Short mmCIF file of all heavy atoms in Angstrom, two decimals:
data_model
loop_
_atom_site.label_atom_id
_atom_site.label_comp_id
_atom_site.label_asym_id
_atom_site.label_seq_id
_atom_site.Cartn_x
_atom_site.Cartn_y
_atom_site.Cartn_z
N MET T 1 10.66 8.53 -5.53
CA MET T 1 11.57 7.43 -5.74
C MET T 1 12.26 7.04 -4.43
O MET T 1 12.54 5.89 -4.21
CB MET T 1 12.59 7.83 -6.80
CG MET T 1 13.42 6.67 -7.26
SD MET T 1 14.09 6.92 -8.90
CE MET T 1 15.68 7.52 -8.52
N TYR T 2 12.51 8.01 -3.56
CA TYR T 2 13.21 7.73 -2.31
C TYR T 2 12.28 7.32 -1.18
O TYR T 2 12.74 7.00 -0.10
CB TYR T 2 14.04 8.94 -1.90
CG TYR T 2 15.11 9.27 -2.91
CD1 TYR T 2 15.01 10.38 -3.72
CD2 TYR T 2 16.21 8.43 -3.06
CE1 TYR T 2 15.99 10.67 -4.65
CE2 TYR T 2 17.18 8.71 -4.00
CZ TYR T 2 17.07 9.84 -4.79
OH TYR T 2 18.03 10.11 -5.71
N ALA T 3 10.97 7.32 -1.41
CA ALA T 3 10.02 6.94 -0.37
C ALA T 3 10.05 5.44 -0.11
O ALA T 3 9.63 4.98 0.95
CB ALA T 3 8.61 7.37 -0.75
N ASN T 4 10.56 4.65 -1.06
CA ASN T 4 10.64 3.19 -0.92
C ASN T 4 12.11 2.78 -0.83
O ASN T 4 12.94 3.26 -1.60
CB ASN T 4 9.98 2.52 -2.12
CG ASN T 4 8.50 2.86 -2.19
OD1 ASN T 4 7.72 2.42 -1.40
ND2 ASN T 4 8.15 3.71 -3.14
N GLU T 5 12.41 1.90 0.10
CA GLU T 5 13.80 1.51 0.35
C GLU T 5 14.52 1.00 -0.88
O GLU T 5 15.64 1.40 -1.16
CB GLU T 5 13.85 0.45 1.45
CG GLU T 5 13.57 1.01 2.83
CD GLU T 5 13.70 -0.05 3.90
OE1 GLU T 5 14.38 -1.07 3.67
OE2 GLU T 5 13.12 0.14 4.97
N ASP T 6 13.88 0.13 -1.65
CA ASP T 6 14.59 -0.46 -2.79
C ASP T 6 14.47 0.38 -4.06
O ASP T 6 15.18 0.17 -5.02
CB ASP T 6 14.12 -1.88 -3.06
CG ASP T 6 12.65 -1.99 -3.42
OD1 ASP T 6 12.00 -0.94 -3.58
OD2 ASP T 6 12.16 -3.11 -3.54
N GLY T 7 13.56 1.35 -4.09
CA GLY T 7 13.41 2.23 -5.23
C GLY T 7 12.87 1.59 -6.49
O GLY T 7 12.78 2.22 -7.52
N GLN T 8 12.48 0.32 -6.45
CA GLN T 8 12.06 -0.39 -7.65
C GLN T 8 10.55 -0.47 -7.83
O GLN T 8 10.10 -0.85 -8.90
CB GLN T 8 12.63 -1.81 -7.64
CG GLN T 8 14.14 -1.85 -7.71
CD GLN T 8 14.65 -1.24 -8.99
OE1 GLN T 8 14.17 -1.54 -10.07
NE2 GLN T 8 15.61 -0.35 -8.87
N VAL T 9 9.77 -0.13 -6.83
CA VAL T 9 8.31 -0.30 -6.91
C VAL T 9 7.72 0.42 -8.12
O VAL T 9 6.84 -0.09 -8.79
CB VAL T 9 7.64 0.18 -5.61
CG1 VAL T 9 6.13 0.17 -5.73
CG2 VAL T 9 8.08 -0.69 -4.44
N LEU T 10 8.21 1.59 -8.44
CA LEU T 10 7.64 2.36 -9.55
C LEU T 10 8.01 1.82 -10.91
O LEU T 10 7.39 2.15 -11.90
CB LEU T 10 8.11 3.82 -9.45
CG LEU T 10 7.67 4.58 -8.21
CD1 LEU T 10 8.26 5.99 -8.22
CD2 LEU T 10 6.16 4.65 -8.13
N PHE T 11 9.03 0.98 -10.98
CA PHE T 11 9.54 0.52 -12.27
C PHE T 11 9.28 -0.96 -12.55
O PHE T 11 9.64 -1.45 -13.60
CB PHE T 11 11.04 0.80 -12.35
CG PHE T 11 11.37 2.24 -12.11
CD1 PHE T 11 11.99 2.63 -10.94
CD2 PHE T 11 11.03 3.21 -13.04
CE1 PHE T 11 12.28 3.97 -10.70
CE2 PHE T 11 11.32 4.54 -12.82
CZ PHE T 11 11.94 4.92 -11.64
N GLU T 12 8.64 -1.66 -11.62
CA GLU T 12 8.37 -3.08 -11.79
C GLU T 12 7.11 -3.31 -12.62
O GLU T 12 6.12 -2.62 -12.45
CB GLU T 12 8.19 -3.77 -10.43
CG GLU T 12 9.47 -3.89 -9.65
CD GLU T 12 9.27 -4.65 -8.35
OE1 GLU T 12 8.28 -5.38 -8.22
OE2 GLU T 12 10.11 -4.47 -7.46
N GLU T 13 7.16 -4.28 -13.50
CA GLU T 13 5.97 -4.70 -14.22
C GLU T 13 5.20 -5.64 -13.29
O GLU T 13 5.78 -6.55 -12.71
CB GLU T 13 6.34 -5.42 -15.51
CG GLU T 13 5.13 -5.79 -16.33
CD GLU T 13 5.50 -6.36 -17.69
OE1 GLU T 13 6.52 -5.93 -18.25
OE2 GLU T 13 4.78 -7.24 -18.15
N ILE T 14 3.90 -5.42 -13.16
CA ILE T 14 3.07 -6.24 -12.27
C ILE T 14 2.17 -7.10 -13.14
O ILE T 14 1.30 -6.59 -13.85
CB ILE T 14 2.23 -5.36 -11.35
CG1 ILE T 14 3.12 -4.36 -10.60
CG2 ILE T 14 1.46 -6.23 -10.35
CD1 ILE T 14 2.35 -3.27 -9.92
N ASN T 15 2.35 -8.39 -13.09
CA ASN T 15 1.54 -9.31 -13.87
C ASN T 15 0.18 -9.52 -13.22
O ASN T 15 0.05 -9.36 -12.00
CB ASN T 15 2.26 -10.66 -14.01
CG ASN T 15 3.50 -10.53 -14.87
OD1 ASN T 15 3.49 -9.85 -15.88
ND2 ASN T 15 4.58 -11.17 -14.46
N PRO T 16 -0.84 -9.87 -14.00
CA PRO T 16 -2.17 -10.12 -13.44
C PRO T 16 -2.10 -11.14 -12.30
O PRO T 16 -1.41 -12.15 -12.39
CB PRO T 16 -2.96 -10.69 -14.62
CG PRO T 16 -2.27 -10.12 -15.83
CD PRO T 16 -0.81 -10.07 -15.45
N GLY T 17 -2.80 -10.84 -11.21
CA GLY T 17 -2.83 -11.71 -10.05
C GLY T 17 -1.71 -11.43 -9.05
O GLY T 17 -1.76 -11.92 -7.93
N ASN T 18 -0.70 -10.66 -9.43
CA ASN T 18 0.39 -10.31 -8.53
C ASN T 18 0.15 -8.93 -7.94
O ASN T 18 -0.67 -8.16 -8.42
CB ASN T 18 1.73 -10.33 -9.27
CG ASN T 18 2.13 -11.72 -9.70
OD1 ASN T 18 1.61 -12.71 -9.22
ND2 ASN T 18 3.07 -11.79 -10.61
N SER T 19 0.90 -8.60 -6.91
CA SER T 19 0.78 -7.28 -6.30
C SER T 19 2.14 -6.82 -5.80
O SER T 19 3.07 -7.62 -5.65
CB SER T 19 -0.21 -7.32 -5.13
OG SER T 19 0.27 -8.17 -4.10
N VAL T 20 2.25 -5.53 -5.59
CA VAL T 20 3.44 -4.94 -4.97
C VAL T 20 2.97 -3.96 -3.91
O VAL T 20 1.84 -3.46 -3.97
CB VAL T 20 4.34 -4.20 -5.99
CG1 VAL T 20 4.92 -5.16 -7.00
CG2 VAL T 20 3.62 -3.07 -6.66
N LYS T 21 3.82 -3.70 -2.95
CA LYS T 21 3.53 -2.70 -1.92
C LYS T 21 4.58 -1.62 -2.01
O LYS T 21 5.76 -1.90 -2.25
CB LYS T 21 3.58 -3.32 -0.52
CG LYS T 21 2.38 -4.16 -0.18
CD LYS T 21 2.41 -4.57 1.26
CE LYS T 21 1.18 -5.35 1.62
NZ LYS T 21 1.12 -5.66 3.05
N GLY T 22 4.15 -0.39 -1.85
CA GLY T 22 5.07 0.72 -1.86
C GLY T 22 4.37 1.99 -1.46
O GLY T 22 3.16 2.02 -1.26
N LYS T 23 5.13 3.05 -1.33
CA LYS T 23 4.59 4.35 -0.96
C LYS T 23 4.58 5.24 -2.18
O LYS T 23 5.53 5.29 -2.96
CB LYS T 23 5.48 5.00 0.11
CG LYS T 23 5.52 4.23 1.40
CD LYS T 23 6.50 4.86 2.36
CE LYS T 23 6.65 4.00 3.59
NZ LYS T 23 7.73 4.48 4.46
N LEU T 24 3.46 5.95 -2.36
CA LEU T 24 3.35 6.97 -3.40
C LEU T 24 3.24 8.31 -2.69
O LEU T 24 2.49 8.45 -1.73
CB LEU T 24 2.11 6.75 -4.27
CG LEU T 24 2.07 5.46 -5.08
CD1 LEU T 24 0.74 5.34 -5.80
CD2 LEU T 24 3.22 5.42 -6.07
N VAL T 25 3.98 9.28 -3.14
CA VAL T 25 4.01 10.59 -2.49
C VAL T 25 3.34 11.62 -3.39
O VAL T 25 3.66 11.71 -4.57
CB VAL T 25 5.47 11.00 -2.20
CG1 VAL T 25 5.53 12.36 -1.53
CG2 VAL T 25 6.17 9.95 -1.36
N PHE T 26 2.39 12.37 -2.83
CA PHE T 26 1.67 13.40 -3.56
C PHE T 26 1.75 14.71 -2.79
O PHE T 26 1.75 14.73 -1.57
CB PHE T 26 0.17 13.02 -3.71
CG PHE T 26 -0.04 11.83 -4.58
CD1 PHE T 26 -0.06 10.56 -4.04
CD2 PHE T 26 -0.24 11.99 -5.94
CE1 PHE T 26 -0.26 9.46 -4.84
CE2 PHE T 26 -0.44 10.88 -6.75
CZ PHE T 26 -0.45 9.62 -6.20
N ASP T 27 1.79 15.79 -3.50
CA ASP T 27 1.77 17.13 -2.92
C ASP T 27 0.37 17.68 -3.08
O ASP T 27 -0.07 17.96 -4.20
CB ASP T 27 2.80 18.00 -3.64
CG ASP T 27 3.01 19.33 -2.96
OD1 ASP T 27 2.57 19.49 -1.79
OD2 ASP T 27 3.60 20.22 -3.58
N ILE T 28 -0.35 17.79 -1.96
CA ILE T 28 -1.72 18.31 -2.00
C ILE T 28 -1.85 19.44 -0.97
O ILE T 28 -1.07 19.52 -0.02
CB ILE T 28 -2.76 17.21 -1.70
CG1 ILE T 28 -2.54 16.61 -0.33
CG2 ILE T 28 -2.74 16.13 -2.76
CD1 ILE T 28 -3.69 15.76 0.15
N PRO T 29 -2.82 20.33 -1.15
CA PRO T 29 -3.02 21.40 -0.18
C PRO T 29 -3.30 20.85 1.22
O PRO T 29 -3.97 19.82 1.37
CB PRO T 29 -4.23 22.16 -0.71
CG PRO T 29 -4.27 21.84 -2.17
CD PRO T 29 -3.73 20.43 -2.28
N ALA T 30 -2.82 21.55 2.25
CA ALA T 30 -2.96 21.08 3.64
C ALA T 30 -4.43 20.98 4.07
O ALA T 30 -4.76 20.17 4.93
CB ALA T 30 -2.20 22.01 4.58
N ASP T 31 -5.31 21.77 3.48
CA ASP T 31 -6.71 21.76 3.90
C ASP T 31 -7.56 20.74 3.14
O ASP T 31 -8.78 20.71 3.29
CB ASP T 31 -7.32 23.16 3.77
CG ASP T 31 -7.34 23.66 2.33
OD1 ASP T 31 -6.53 23.17 1.51
OD2 ASP T 31 -8.16 24.55 2.04
N LYS T 32 -6.95 19.90 2.34
CA LYS T 32 -7.67 18.88 1.58
C LYS T 32 -7.37 17.49 2.11
O LYS T 32 -6.28 17.22 2.61
CB LYS T 32 -7.29 18.92 0.10
CG LYS T 32 -7.54 20.24 -0.57
CD LYS T 32 -9.01 20.54 -0.64
CE LYS T 32 -9.24 21.88 -1.31
NZ LYS T 32 -10.58 22.34 -1.21
N LYS T 33 -8.35 16.58 2.01
CA LYS T 33 -8.16 15.19 2.39
C LYS T 33 -8.60 14.32 1.23
O LYS T 33 -9.75 14.39 0.80
CB LYS T 33 -8.95 14.84 3.65
CG LYS T 33 -8.72 13.41 4.08
CD LYS T 33 -9.38 13.06 5.37
CE LYS T 33 -9.05 11.62 5.69
NZ LYS T 33 -9.64 11.19 6.91
N LEU T 34 -7.69 13.50 0.71
CA LEU T 34 -8.01 12.61 -0.40
C LEU T 34 -8.74 11.38 0.11
O LEU T 34 -8.38 10.82 1.14
CB LEU T 34 -6.74 12.18 -1.12
CG LEU T 34 -5.93 13.28 -1.79
CD1 LEU T 34 -4.70 12.68 -2.46
CD2 LEU T 34 -6.76 14.04 -2.80
N THR T 35 -9.75 10.94 -0.62
CA THR T 35 -10.48 9.72 -0.28
C THR T 35 -10.25 8.63 -1.32
O THR T 35 -10.49 7.46 -1.05
CB THR T 35 -11.98 9.99 -0.14
OG1 THR T 35 -12.46 10.55 -1.36
CG2 THR T 35 -12.24 10.97 1.01
N SER T 36 -9.79 9.03 -2.52
CA SER T 36 -9.53 8.05 -3.58
C SER T 36 -8.55 8.64 -4.59
O SER T 36 -8.34 9.84 -4.65
CB SER T 36 -10.82 7.64 -4.28
OG SER T 36 -11.39 8.75 -4.95
N LEU T 37 -7.95 7.74 -5.37
CA LEU T 37 -7.07 8.11 -6.47
C LEU T 37 -7.53 7.38 -7.71
O LEU T 37 -8.01 6.25 -7.63
CB LEU T 37 -5.62 7.69 -6.19
CG LEU T 37 -4.86 8.41 -5.11
CD1 LEU T 37 -3.49 7.76 -4.93
CD2 LEU T 37 -4.70 9.87 -5.44
N GLU T 38 -7.37 7.99 -8.86
CA GLU T 38 -7.63 7.32 -10.13
C GLU T 38 -6.28 7.03 -10.78
O GLU T 38 -5.51 7.95 -11.05
CB GLU T 38 -8.49 8.18 -11.04
CG GLU T 38 -8.88 7.48 -12.32
CD GLU T 38 -9.84 8.30 -13.15
OE1 GLU T 38 -10.97 8.55 -12.68
OE2 GLU T 38 -9.45 8.70 -14.26
N LEU T 39 -5.98 5.76 -10.99
CA LEU T 39 -4.70 5.34 -11.54
C LEU T 39 -4.87 4.81 -12.95
O LEU T 39 -5.84 4.14 -13.26
CB LEU T 39 -4.09 4.25 -10.65
CG LEU T 39 -3.91 4.59 -9.18
CD1 LEU T 39 -3.43 3.37 -8.41
CD2 LEU T 39 -2.97 5.76 -9.00
N HIS T 40 -3.89 5.11 -13.82
CA HIS T 40 -3.89 4.67 -15.20
C HIS T 40 -2.54 4.05 -15.54
O HIS T 40 -1.51 4.54 -15.08
CB HIS T 40 -4.13 5.85 -16.16
CG HIS T 40 -5.46 6.48 -15.99
ND1 HIS T 40 -6.51 6.19 -16.81
CD2 HIS T 40 -5.92 7.38 -15.10
CE1 HIS T 40 -7.57 6.89 -16.43
NE2 HIS T 40 -7.23 7.62 -15.38
N ASP T 41 -2.53 3.00 -16.35
CA ASP T 41 -1.25 2.43 -16.78
C ASP T 41 -0.72 3.12 -18.03
O ASP T 41 0.44 2.97 -18.39
CB ASP T 41 -1.34 0.92 -16.97
CG ASP T 41 -2.24 0.52 -18.13
OD1 ASP T 41 -3.02 1.36 -18.60
OD2 ASP T 41 -2.15 -0.63 -18.57
N SER T 42 -1.57 3.90 -18.69
CA SER T 42 -1.15 4.72 -19.82
C SER T 42 -2.20 5.81 -20.00
O SER T 42 -3.28 5.75 -19.41
CB SER T 42 -1.01 3.90 -21.10
OG SER T 42 -2.29 3.59 -21.62
N MET T 43 -1.91 6.78 -20.85
CA MET T 43 -2.87 7.86 -21.06
C MET T 43 -4.11 7.40 -21.82
O MET T 43 -5.12 8.10 -21.89
CB MET T 43 -2.21 9.04 -21.76
CG MET T 43 -1.67 8.72 -23.13
SD MET T 43 -0.65 10.02 -23.84
CE MET T 43 -1.81 11.29 -24.16
N PHE T 44 -4.08 6.18 -22.36
CA PHE T 44 -5.20 5.66 -23.13
C PHE T 44 -6.05 4.65 -22.35
O PHE T 44 -7.06 4.18 -22.86
CB PHE T 44 -4.69 5.01 -24.42
CG PHE T 44 -3.88 5.96 -25.25
CD1 PHE T 44 -2.51 5.78 -25.37
CD2 PHE T 44 -4.47 7.03 -25.88
CE1 PHE T 44 -1.74 6.66 -26.13
CE2 PHE T 44 -3.72 7.92 -26.65
CZ PHE T 44 -2.35 7.73 -26.77
N SER T 45 -5.64 4.28 -21.13
CA SER T 45 -6.39 3.27 -20.38
C SER T 45 -7.61 3.89 -19.71
O SER T 45 -7.68 5.10 -19.50
CB SER T 45 -5.51 2.63 -19.31
OG SER T 45 -5.28 3.52 -18.23
N GLY T 46 -8.56 3.05 -19.36
CA GLY T 46 -9.76 3.49 -18.65
C GLY T 46 -9.48 3.83 -17.21
O GLY T 46 -10.24 4.56 -16.57
N GLY T 47 -8.40 3.30 -16.66
CA GLY T 47 -8.03 3.57 -15.27
C GLY T 47 -8.83 2.78 -14.28
O GLY T 47 -9.78 2.06 -14.60
N VAL T 48 -8.44 2.94 -13.03
CA VAL T 48 -9.13 2.28 -11.91
C VAL T 48 -9.11 3.26 -10.73
O VAL T 48 -8.15 4.00 -10.54
CB VAL T 48 -8.42 0.95 -11.54
CG1 VAL T 48 -6.99 1.17 -11.10
CG2 VAL T 48 -9.19 0.18 -10.48
N THR T 49 -10.20 3.27 -9.97
CA THR T 49 -10.28 4.13 -8.80
C THR T 49 -9.92 3.30 -7.57
O THR T 49 -10.44 2.21 -7.37
CB THR T 49 -11.70 4.71 -8.63
OG1 THR T 49 -11.99 5.49 -9.80
CG2 THR T 49 -11.78 5.61 -7.41
N VAL T 50 -9.00 3.83 -6.77
CA VAL T 50 -8.51 3.14 -5.57
C VAL T 50 -8.89 3.97 -4.35
O VAL T 50 -8.56 5.17 -4.28
CB VAL T 50 -6.97 2.96 -5.62
CG1 VAL T 50 -6.46 2.30 -4.37
CG2 VAL T 50 -6.58 2.18 -6.86
N ALA T 51 -9.59 3.36 -3.39
CA ALA T 51 -9.95 4.04 -2.15
C ALA T 51 -8.72 4.16 -1.26
O ALA T 51 -7.87 3.27 -1.24
CB ALA T 51 -11.05 3.26 -1.43
N LEU T 52 -8.62 5.26 -0.54
CA LEU T 52 -7.51 5.49 0.38
C LEU T 52 -7.99 5.33 1.81
O LEU T 52 -9.11 5.67 2.14
CB LEU T 52 -6.94 6.90 0.18
CG LEU T 52 -6.44 7.21 -1.23
CD1 LEU T 52 -6.03 8.67 -1.31
CD2 LEU T 52 -5.28 6.32 -1.59
N ARG T 53 -7.10 4.84 2.66
CA ARG T 53 -7.46 4.67 4.08
C ARG T 53 -7.01 5.86 4.87
O ARG T 53 -6.08 6.51 4.62
CB ARG T 53 -6.76 3.46 4.69
CG ARG T 53 -7.08 2.19 4.02
CD ARG T 53 -6.51 1.07 4.79
NE ARG T 53 -5.72 0.22 3.90
CZ ARG T 53 -5.00 -0.77 4.32
NH1 ARG T 53 -4.92 -1.03 5.60
NH2 ARG T 53 -4.34 -1.52 3.50
#
């Protein structure tokens, strides 16, 4: 929540065609490198895979 200045990125509804920018913080082992994340809007959604840079 504190990674973004305004703190609202996690709580905003994003309508189709719109976008938001923000930082997501994850705790992963130091010897691992993530190449993608799978994001879901609920536990019942199919999700989407997002490539990481």
Side-chain angles (χ1 to χ4, degrees):
M1 190 156 96
Y2 297 109
N4 297 289
E5 287 183 22
D6 62 6
Q8 295 298 313
V9 173
L10 297 177
F11 304 109
E12 289 183 20
E13 184 173 326
I14 306 167
N15 292 319
N18 292 344
S19 64
V20 296
K21 284 188 177 186
K23 297 175 186 172
L24 297 176
V25 180
F26 294 90
D27 189 14
I28 60 167
D31 63 337
K32 302 294 180 190
K33 182 175 181 180
L34 297 180
T35 57
S36 64
L37 291 175
E38 185 175 296
L39 304 174
H40 296 261
D41 67 345
S42 75
M43 62 189 291
F44 303 110
S45 74
V48 62
T49 300
V50 178
L52 302 175
R53 301 188 231 174

